[in-house]
Amino acid sequence: MDKHKPLYKLRALRVEHGLTQAKMAKIVGISEPTYCQKEIGKREFTLKECKIISDYFGKPIEYIFFNNEVNTNKTNTA
């Protein structure tokens, strides 16, 4: 999980399900300001929090919290 990037998939899932950040904070068991900081990438979710969110949405932790892009930059291995 890259703590310096917003979690767009999490936000999209939350909005798709009609949930506010306040409601998500209650589901996860943290304060709304803390949840907001975590969703926008200023703080990291704990593994326990990731599991709660993953279970709630029925999606794998990897799908929600990890970037699946492959780095295609070539490096010199000479």
Side-chain angles (χ1 to χ4, degrees):
M1 173 172 23
D2 187 342
K3 73 179 192 172
H4 299 292
K5 289 187 179 180
L7 296 169
Y8 295 116
K9 287 182 185 177
L10 175 56
R11 182 180 187 280
L13 282 169
R14 177 178 60 75
V15 170
E16 197 176 289
H17 286 81
L19 300 168
T20 64
Q21 287 184 331
K23 179 65 178 169
M24 282 301 301
K26 278 188 177 183
I27 291 166
V28 177
I30 57 178
S31 72
E32 183 179 354
T34 298
Y35 178 86
C36 179
Q37 288 182 338
K38 291 181 178 204
E39 188 179 273
I40 65 173
K42 290 192 177 199
R43 295 177 68 180
E44 288 187 346
F45 282 96
T46 66
L47 184 55
K48 181 180 177 182
E49 293 163 349
C50 291
K51 176 78 170 117
I52 291 168
I53 293 168
S54 170
D55 289 347
Y56 184 84
F57 289 118
K59 303 277 184 190
I61 288 174
E62 298 83 9
Y63 173 82
I64 300 170
F65 295 97
F66 293 92
N67 182 350
N68 294 326
E69 293 177 12
V70 175
N71 185 352
T72 57
N73 293 335
K74 297 193 182 210
T75 57
N76 229 351
T77 57

mmCIF file of all heavy atoms in Angstrom, residues 16-47:
data_model
loop_
_atom_site.group_PDB
_atom_site.id
_atom_site.type_symbol
_atom_site.label_atom_id
_atom_site.label_comp_id
_atom_site.label_asym_id
_atom_site.label_seq_id
_atom_site.Cartn_x
_atom_site.Cartn_y
_atom_site.Cartn_z
ATOM 1 N N GLU A 16 -19.913 4.005 -4.450
ATOM 2 C CA GLU A 16 -20.778 3.061 -5.160
ATOM 3 C C GLU A 16 -21.827 2.447 -4.231
ATOM 4 O O GLU A 16 -22.950 2.170 -4.638
ATOM 5 C CB GLU A 16 -19.885 1.959 -5.735
ATOM 6 C CG GLU A 16 -20.475 1.104 -6.806
ATOM 7 C CD GLU A 16 -19.426 0.128 -7.332
ATOM 8 O OE1 GLU A 16 -18.484 0.571 -8.017
ATOM 9 O OE2 GLU A 16 -19.550 -1.071 -7.030
ATOM 10 N N HIS A 17 -21.446 2.241 -2.976
ATOM 11 C CA HIS A 17 -22.352 1.650 -1.988
ATOM 12 C C HIS A 17 -23.118 2.707 -1.187
ATOM 13 O O HIS A 17 -23.806 2.386 -0.225
ATOM 14 C CB HIS A 17 -21.575 0.733 -1.043
ATOM 15 C CG HIS A 17 -21.174 -0.552 -1.677
ATOM 16 N ND1 HIS A 17 -20.069 -0.669 -2.497
ATOM 17 C CD2 HIS A 17 -21.749 -1.779 -1.651
ATOM 18 C CE1 HIS A 17 -19.974 -1.914 -2.921
ATOM 19 N NE2 HIS A 17 -20.988 -2.608 -2.431
ATOM 20 N N GLY A 18 -22.968 3.965 -1.575
ATOM 21 C CA GLY A 18 -23.705 5.044 -0.920
ATOM 22 C C GLY A 18 -23.278 5.314 0.510
ATOM 23 O O GLY A 18 -24.092 5.730 1.340
ATOM 24 N N LEU A 19 -22.005 5.084 0.799
ATOM 25 C CA LEU A 19 -21.497 5.262 2.154
ATOM 26 C C LEU A 19 -20.703 6.558 2.276
ATOM 27 O O LEU A 19 -19.925 6.890 1.391
ATOM 28 C CB LEU A 19 -20.588 4.087 2.540
ATOM 29 C CG LEU A 19 -21.244 2.706 2.528
ATOM 30 C CD1 LEU A 19 -20.186 1.630 2.642
ATOM 31 C CD2 LEU A 19 -22.255 2.600 3.648
ATOM 32 N N THR A 20 -20.890 7.243 3.380
ATOM 33 C CA THR A 20 -20.099 8.435 3.675
ATOM 34 C C THR A 20 -18.814 8.011 4.371
ATOM 35 O O THR A 20 -18.686 6.871 4.847
ATOM 36 C CB THR A 20 -20.868 9.386 4.602
ATOM 37 O OG1 THR A 20 -21.075 8.713 5.860
ATOM 38 C CG2 THR A 20 -22.191 9.821 4.002
ATOM 39 N N GLN A 21 -17.884 8.939 4.473
ATOM 40 C CA GLN A 21 -16.659 8.648 5.225
ATOM 41 C C GLN A 21 -16.995 8.407 6.691
ATOM 42 O O GLN A 21 -16.376 7.573 7.345
ATOM 43 C CB GLN A 21 -15.653 9.784 5.070
ATOM 44 C CG GLN A 21 -15.022 9.815 3.701
ATOM 45 C CD GLN A 21 -13.952 10.876 3.558
ATOM 46 O OE1 GLN A 21 -13.997 11.908 4.207
ATOM 47 N NE2 GLN A 21 -13.008 10.618 2.674
ATOM 48 N N ALA A 22 -18.002 9.106 7.201
ATOM 49 C CA ALA A 22 -18.417 8.915 8.603
ATOM 50 C C ALA A 22 -18.922 7.492 8.825
ATOM 51 O O ALA A 22 -18.581 6.846 9.830
ATOM 52 C CB ALA A 22 -19.493 9.932 8.978
ATOM 53 N N LYS A 23 -19.719 6.973 7.889
ATOM 54 C CA LYS A 23 -20.238 5.608 8.002
ATOM 55 C C LYS A 23 -19.104 4.594 7.903
ATOM 56 O O LYS A 23 -19.056 3.629 8.670
ATOM 57 C CB LYS A 23 -21.290 5.352 6.913
ATOM 58 C CG LYS A 23 -21.867 3.966 6.922
ATOM 59 C CD LYS A 23 -22.662 3.678 8.168
ATOM 60 C CE LYS A 23 -23.265 2.276 8.075
ATOM 61 N NZ LYS A 23 -23.824 1.835 9.335
ATOM 62 N N MET A 24 -18.174 4.810 6.979
ATOM 63 C CA MET A 24 -17.031 3.903 6.854
ATOM 64 C C MET A 24 -16.185 3.918 8.120
ATOM 65 O O MET A 24 -15.707 2.879 8.562
ATOM 66 C CB MET A 24 -16.170 4.275 5.645
ATOM 67 C CG MET A 24 -16.737 3.830 4.324
ATOM 68 S SD MET A 24 -17.004 2.039 4.173
ATOM 69 C CE MET A 24 -15.362 1.398 4.428
ATOM 70 N N ALA A 25 -16.008 5.088 8.699
ATOM 71 C CA ALA A 25 -15.244 5.193 9.937
ATOM 72 C C ALA A 25 -15.883 4.339 11.035
ATOM 73 O O ALA A 25 -15.180 3.633 11.766
ATOM 74 C CB ALA A 25 -15.150 6.650 10.376
ATOM 75 N N LYS A 26 -17.216 4.366 11.114
ATOM 76 C CA LYS A 26 -17.919 3.543 12.110
ATOM 77 C C LYS A 26 -17.728 2.063 11.829
ATOM 78 O O LYS A 26 -17.515 1.276 12.745
ATOM 79 C CB LYS A 26 -19.416 3.876 12.115
ATOM 80 C CG LYS A 26 -19.764 5.093 12.911
ATOM 81 C CD LYS A 26 -21.275 5.231 13.026
ATOM 82 C CE LYS A 26 -21.585 6.437 13.895
ATOM 83 N NZ LYS A 26 -23.022 6.598 14.110
ATOM 84 N N ILE A 27 -17.818 1.682 10.568
ATOM 85 C CA ILE A 27 -17.640 0.279 10.186
ATOM 86 C C ILE A 27 -16.247 -0.208 10.595
ATOM 87 O O ILE A 27 -16.085 -1.297 11.124
ATOM 88 C CB ILE A 27 -17.861 0.098 8.666
ATOM 89 C CG1 ILE A 27 -19.340 0.306 8.329
ATOM 90 C CG2 ILE A 27 -17.367 -1.263 8.174
ATOM 91 C CD1 ILE A 27 -19.623 0.477 6.848
ATOM 92 N N VAL A 28 -15.248 0.636 10.346
ATOM 93 C CA VAL A 28 -13.854 0.264 10.624
ATOM 94 C C VAL A 28 -13.524 0.400 12.113
ATOM 95 O O VAL A 28 -12.639 -0.273 12.618
ATOM 96 C CB VAL A 28 -12.895 1.115 9.757
ATOM 97 C CG1 VAL A 28 -11.452 0.807 10.060
ATOM 98 C CG2 VAL A 28 -13.163 0.870 8.278
ATOM 99 N N GLY A 29 -14.247 1.287 12.811
ATOM 100 C CA GLY A 29 -14.004 1.477 14.240
ATOM 101 C C GLY A 29 -12.974 2.553 14.539
ATOM 102 O O GLY A 29 -12.222 2.450 15.506
ATOM 103 N N ILE A 30 -12.921 3.572 13.667
ATOM 104 C CA ILE A 30 -11.997 4.687 13.873
ATOM 105 C C ILE A 30 -12.770 6.001 13.731
ATOM 106 O O ILE A 30 -13.924 5.998 13.286
ATOM 107 C CB ILE A 30 -10.816 4.638 12.871
ATOM 108 C CG1 ILE A 30 -11.308 4.642 11.414
ATOM 109 C CG2 ILE A 30 -9.934 3.420 13.132
ATOM 110 C CD1 ILE A 30 -10.206 4.633 10.361
ATOM 111 N N SER A 31 -12.129 7.103 14.071
ATOM 112 C CA SER A 31 -12.797 8.398 13.950
ATOM 113 C C SER A 31 -12.903 8.810 12.482
ATOM 114 O O SER A 31 -12.127 8.361 11.637
ATOM 115 C CB SER A 31 -12.033 9.471 14.735
ATOM 116 O OG SER A 31 -10.818 9.793 14.073
ATOM 117 N N GLU A 32 -13.856 9.684 12.197
ATOM 118 C CA GLU A 32 -14.035 10.155 10.821
ATOM 119 C C GLU A 32 -12.800 10.888 10.300
ATOM 120 O O GLU A 32 -12.357 10.620 9.179
ATOM 121 C CB GLU A 32 -15.269 11.046 10.711
ATOM 122 C CG GLU A 32 -15.539 11.509 9.303
ATOM 123 C CD GLU A 32 -16.780 12.382 9.185
ATOM 124 O OE1 GLU A 32 -17.512 12.542 10.167
ATOM 125 O OE2 GLU A 32 -16.997 12.912 8.081
ATOM 126 N N PRO A 33 -12.192 11.807 11.088
ATOM 127 C CA PRO A 33 -10.980 12.470 10.572
ATOM 128 C C PRO A 33 -9.842 11.490 10.275
ATOM 129 O O PRO A 33 -9.132 11.638 9.282
ATOM 130 C CB PRO A 33 -10.589 13.440 11.687
ATOM 131 C CG PRO A 33 -11.853 13.685 12.448
ATOM 132 C CD PRO A 33 -12.618 12.385 12.364
ATOM 133 N N THR A 34 -9.694 10.475 11.115
ATOM 134 C CA THR A 34 -8.655 9.468 10.883
ATOM 135 C C THR A 34 -8.953 8.688 9.612
ATOM 136 O O THR A 34 -8.065 8.462 8.794
ATOM 137 C CB THR A 34 -8.536 8.513 12.088
ATOM 138 O OG1 THR A 34 -8.159 9.275 13.234
ATOM 139 C CG2 THR A 34 -7.517 7.414 11.846
ATOM 140 N N TYR A 35 -10.208 8.287 9.430
ATOM 141 C CA TYR A 35 -10.585 7.575 8.212
ATOM 142 C C TYR A 35 -10.280 8.430 6.988
ATOM 143 O O TYR A 35 -9.709 7.950 6.013
ATOM 144 C CB TYR A 35 -12.066 7.160 8.216
ATOM 145 C CG TYR A 35 -12.425 6.480 6.926
ATOM 146 C CD1 TYR A 35 -12.213 5.116 6.772
ATOM 147 C CD2 TYR A 35 -12.886 7.200 5.833
ATOM 148 C CE1 TYR A 35 -12.469 4.490 5.561
ATOM 149 C CE2 TYR A 35 -13.142 6.587 4.621
ATOM 150 C CZ TYR A 35 -12.930 5.234 4.490
ATOM 151 O OH TYR A 35 -13.158 4.628 3.283
ATOM 152 N N CYS A 36 -10.661 9.688 7.038
ATOM 153 C CA CYS A 36 -10.434 10.598 5.913
ATOM 154 C C CYS A 36 -8.949 10.665 5.570
ATOM 155 O O CYS A 36 -8.570 10.561 4.408
ATOM 156 C CB CYS A 36 -10.967 11.987 6.232
ATOM 157 S SG CYS A 36 -10.701 13.193 4.912
ATOM 158 N N GLN A 37 -8.101 10.806 6.584
ATOM 159 C CA GLN A 37 -6.657 10.863 6.351
ATOM 160 C C GLN A 37 -6.146 9.579 5.712
ATOM 161 O O GLN A 37 -5.251 9.604 4.865
ATOM 162 C CB GLN A 37 -5.910 11.119 7.655
ATOM 163 C CG GLN A 37 -6.080 12.520 8.166
ATOM 164 C CD GLN A 37 -5.281 12.754 9.440
ATOM 165 O OE1 GLN A 37 -4.939 11.818 10.155
ATOM 166 N NE2 GLN A 37 -4.993 14.006 9.720
ATOM 167 N N LYS A 38 -6.717 8.461 6.112
ATOM 168 C CA LYS A 38 -6.286 7.181 5.556
ATOM 169 C C LYS A 38 -6.767 7.014 4.115
ATOM 170 O O LYS A 38 -6.014 6.541 3.267
ATOM 171 C CB LYS A 38 -6.773 6.025 6.446
ATOM 172 C CG LYS A 38 -6.046 6.016 7.789
ATOM 173 C CD LYS A 38 -6.487 4.888 8.683
ATOM 174 C CE LYS A 38 -5.686 4.920 9.972
ATOM 175 N NZ LYS A 38 -5.620 3.638 10.646
ATOM 176 N N GLU A 39 -8.004 7.405 3.829
ATOM 177 C CA GLU A 39 -8.522 7.257 2.472
ATOM 178 C C GLU A 39 -7.777 8.145 1.481
ATOM 179 O O GLU A 39 -7.557 7.747 0.336
ATOM 180 C CB GLU A 39 -10.023 7.570 2.434
ATOM 181 C CG GLU A 39 -10.650 7.254 1.093
ATOM 182 C CD GLU A 39 -12.136 7.522 1.039
ATOM 183 O OE1 GLU A 39 -12.916 6.628 1.405
ATOM 184 O OE2 GLU A 39 -12.507 8.651 0.623
ATOM 185 N N ILE A 40 -7.358 9.335 1.918
ATOM 186 C CA ILE A 40 -6.640 10.224 0.996
ATOM 187 C C ILE A 40 -5.138 9.954 0.966
ATOM 188 O O ILE A 40 -4.411 10.603 0.228
ATOM 189 C CB ILE A 40 -6.919 11.719 1.290
ATOM 190 C CG1 ILE A 40 -6.391 12.132 2.660
ATOM 191 C CG2 ILE A 40 -8.383 12.042 1.120
ATOM 192 C CD1 ILE A 40 -6.472 13.624 2.938
ATOM 193 N N GLY A 41 -4.676 8.997 1.762
ATOM 194 C CA GLY A 41 -3.288 8.565 1.683
ATOM 195 C C GLY A 41 -2.325 9.240 2.635
ATOM 196 O O GLY A 41 -1.118 9.048 2.516
ATOM 197 N N LYS A 42 -2.829 10.024 3.575
ATOM 198 C CA LYS A 42 -1.921 10.687 4.524
ATOM 199 C C LYS A 42 -1.501 9.770 5.664
ATOM 200 O O LYS A 42 -0.506 10.033 6.325
ATOM 201 C CB LYS A 42 -2.574 11.947 5.084
ATOM 202 C CG LYS A 42 -2.691 13.030 4.042
ATOM 203 C CD LYS A 42 -3.047 14.345 4.650
ATOM 204 C CE LYS A 42 -3.058 15.389 3.545
ATOM 205 N NZ LYS A 42 -2.956 16.721 4.049
ATOM 206 N N ARG A 43 -2.272 8.732 5.904
ATOM 207 C CA ARG A 43 -1.952 7.729 6.921
ATOM 208 C C ARG A 43 -2.262 6.362 6.333
ATOM 209 O O ARG A 43 -3.019 6.251 5.381
ATOM 210 C CB ARG A 43 -2.790 7.946 8.189
ATOM 211 C CG ARG A 43 -2.456 9.257 8.890
ATOM 212 C CD ARG A 43 -3.337 9.500 10.089
ATOM 213 N NE ARG A 43 -3.034 8.533 11.130
ATOM 214 C CZ ARG A 43 -3.655 8.499 12.302
ATOM 215 N NH1 ARG A 43 -4.616 9.357 12.575
ATOM 216 N NH2 ARG A 43 -3.331 7.613 13.219
ATOM 217 N N GLU A 44 -1.694 5.324 6.915
ATOM 218 C CA GLU A 44 -1.924 3.969 6.426
ATOM 219 C C GLU A 44 -2.998 3.271 7.243
ATOM 220 O O GLU A 44 -3.106 3.465 8.449
ATOM 221 C CB GLU A 44 -0.643 3.141 6.513
ATOM 222 C CG GLU A 44 0.395 3.534 5.500
ATOM 223 C CD GLU A 44 1.577 2.581 5.510
ATOM 224 O OE1 GLU A 44 1.715 1.781 6.455
ATOM 225 O OE2 GLU A 44 2.369 2.652 4.560
ATOM 226 N N PHE A 45 -3.780 2.428 6.566
ATOM 227 C CA PHE A 45 -4.708 1.544 7.260
ATOM 228 C C PHE A 45 -3.904 0.416 7.881
ATOM 229 O O PHE A 45 -2.910 -0.031 7.304
ATOM 230 C CB PHE A 45 -5.722 0.943 6.282
ATOM 231 C CG PHE A 45 -6.831 1.877 5.891
ATOM 232 C CD1 PHE A 45 -6.752 2.615 4.722
ATOM 233 C CD2 PHE A 45 -7.959 2.013 6.689
ATOM 234 C CE1 PHE A 45 -7.776 3.465 4.342
ATOM 235 C CE2 PHE A 45 -8.989 2.862 6.327
ATOM 236 C CZ PHE A 45 -8.899 3.595 5.158
ATOM 237 N N THR A 46 -4.338 -0.052 9.044
ATOM 238 C CA THR A 46 -3.715 -1.234 9.633
ATOM 239 C C THR A 46 -4.222 -2.456 8.889
ATOM 240 O O THR A 46 -5.236 -2.400 8.177
ATOM 241 C CB THR A 46 -4.074 -1.376 11.126
ATOM 242 O OG1 THR A 46 -5.484 -1.640 11.234
ATOM 243 C CG2 THR A 46 -3.702 -0.130 11.924
ATOM 244 N N LEU A 47 -3.545 -3.574 9.050
ATOM 245 C CA LEU A 47 -3.982 -4.811 8.402
ATOM 246 C C LEU A 47 -5.375 -5.199 8.893
ATOM 247 O O LEU A 47 -6.221 -5.637 8.108
ATOM 248 C CB LEU A 47 -2.977 -5.940 8.660
ATOM 249 C CG LEU A 47 -3.264 -7.257 7.959
ATOM 250 C CD1 LEU A 47 -3.408 -7.068 6.456
ATOM 251 C CD2 LEU A 47 -2.179 -8.260 8.256
#
